[in-house]
Amino acid sequence: MYTKFSVLKKIFLSVGIFTATQNAYASELKGTVKNSVTGEKIQNVSVTNQNFGVVTDLNGFFILKNLEEKDCELKFSYVGFATKTLKLKPGENSFIILLEPEKQNIDEVFVTDSRAKQNETPVTFSNFSNENIEKKYTVQDLPILVSELPSVNFYSETGTGLGASYLSIRGFDQKRIAVTVNGVPQNDPEDHNVYWYDFTDLASNLQDVQIQRGAGNTSYGHAAIGGSVNLETKKYSTETKLALQGGLGSFGTKKLALSYDSGLINNSYALSGKFSKTV
């Protein structure tokens, strides 16, 4: 025969067992993430589950609370390291996780959002290729070089093609023309102008010039109402080169340029440098 006290005792005992079972999964979980090769602690590692996510701190440490039985698998991921999955067991509340470094094969990056393509982009444009640049470029600023393209005009304050030169497209002045080098805006942030005398001998380092005529998009703060000038620099050289160039022109103009290309080193990287002076 059970008394009222015995029944209550059994109820409390059952509740105690249930709570202990739950705590095996719901207890606080701590861990540290390290580099498996160097042993260094890794910060900002993403620790995720289908229901939650945290990142490691400066010491590679993280803490998780209120884990339930369904939260029994964690994934650790970080750029440059292989993703690792950890399956938890009841009673585990502290551990060290080691991430394996992995090689990242990154392809060459091309900036294409600012360049138009034939039969694909709804804009009128003209390309001035590297072949044209090599045939026609001497020392003149870029506005003079590309002035033969449709709807493009220039004027030079000095009359020599060097110094203060200005470009216009369809009658719009330089302030209404967006200029980029490899997708990077070059217009002055204050007056939206482009000062070509700051780009000495720029044309000799270009692979291609694309002139887009008419209003277009821009990633900068000004409006490209007149058009856009997109400059693409030369790619790296696969051969070792050392070149010295010099010349004399009309109105006492002079040019001196010294360039060096290392070529591919160990099929991994290349070094290039150039000194140029035009007066």
Side-chain angles (χ1 to χ4, degrees):
M1 181 176 182
Y2 293 100
T3 63
K4 182 178 181 181
F5 175 77
S6 299
V7 173
L8 292 175
K9 184 177 180 181
K10 283 193 174 186
I11 293 175
F12 285 127
L13 181 61
S14 300
V15 171
I17 294 175
F18 175 77
T19 303
T21 304
Q22 287 291 83
N23 286 339
Y25 294 95
S27 60
E28 189 175 79
L29 180 66
K30 301 177 181 179
T32 302
V33 182
K34 295 183 178 181
N35 187 321
S36 64
V37 177
T38 64
E40 296 179 350
K41 298 174 181 178
I42 311 173
Q43 63 174 316
N44 293 327
V45 176
S46 176
V47 184
T48 59
N49 182 274
Q50 61 180 358
N51 297 318
F52 59 84
V54 297
V55 295
T56 57
D57 61 14
L58 294 175
N59 297 314
F61 177 79
F62 71 93
I63 183 170
L64 297 171
K65 297 181 179 180
N66 300 323
L67 285 177
E68 299 178 1
E69 183 176 358
K70 61 181 178 180
D71 300 321
C72 59
E73 186 172 286
L74 298 177
K75 183 169 71 174
F76 299 82
S77 59
Y78 188 68
V79 176
F81 291 84
T83 300
K84 191 167 187 176
T85 301
L86 177 69
K87 293 185 178 180
L88 303 178
K89 297 179 181 179
E92 290 184 325
N93 57 10
S94 180
F95 58 90
I96 296 176
I97 190 76
L98 301 178
L99 294 186
E100 297 282 345
E102 65 176 0
K103 294 182 179 180
Q104 299 290 326
N105 296 322
I106 302 177
D107 296 330
E108 185 177 1
V109 176
F110 295 93
V111 179
T112 59
D113 62 332
S114 61
R115 299 189 66 81
K117 296 181 180 180
Q118 190 70 35
N119 300 324
E120 293 185 17
T121 309
V123 64
T124 304
F125 68 93
S126 299
N127 289 329
F128 200 79
S129 66
N130 179 257
E131 295 180 358
N132 290 328
I133 295 175
E134 291 182 351
K135 289 179 181 179
K136 301 178 180 181
Y137 174 69
T138 54
V139 296
Q140 68 270 42
D141 288 335
L142 194 70
I144 293 88
L145 181 64
V146 299
S147 61
E148 65 181 59
L149 295 177
S151 304
V152 179
N153 294 289
F154 83 96
Y155 75 91
S156 173
E157 291 184 357
T158 63
T160 62
L162 295 175
S165 301
Y166 303 92
L167 180 72
S168 66
I169 299 178
R170 290 184 174 177
F172 289 95
D173 62 19
Q174 186 68 73
K175 296 181 180 180
R176 298 296 180 264
I177 301 171
V179 178
T180 61
V181 176
N182 294 338
V184 180
Q186 301 300 314
N187 295 71
D188 185 84
E190 183 176 355
D191 63 3
H192 300 167
N193 218 327
V194 175
Y195 301 96
W196 295 104
Y197 45 73
D198 291 334
F199 300 91
T200 301
D201 201 24
L202 173 65
S204 65
N205 299 302
L206 296 178
Q207 179 69 28
D208 179 76
V209 179
Q210 184 178 90
I211 304 290
Q212 298 179 13
R213 298 181 290 277
N217 63 342
T218 178
S219 57
Y220 206 50
H222 64 286
I225 299 175
S228 303
V229 179
N230 301 311
L231 310 176
E232 181 183 352
T233 57
K234 289 182 178 179
K235 299 177 176 63
Y236 65 88
S237 175
T238 57
E239 300 177 356
T240 303
K241 296 180 181 179
L242 178 64
L244 176 64
Q245 295 177 329
L248 299 173
S250 303
F251 308 105
T253 54
K254 303 175 184 178
K255 176 181 177 180
L256 177 65
L258 176 65
S259 61
Y260 170 75
D261 293 294
S262 67
L264 278 178
I265 303 176
N266 296 328
N267 292 321
S268 300
Y269 56 92
L271 299 175
S272 299
K274 184 174 184 178
F275 170 80
S276 181
K277 184 176 182 180
T278 303
V279 293

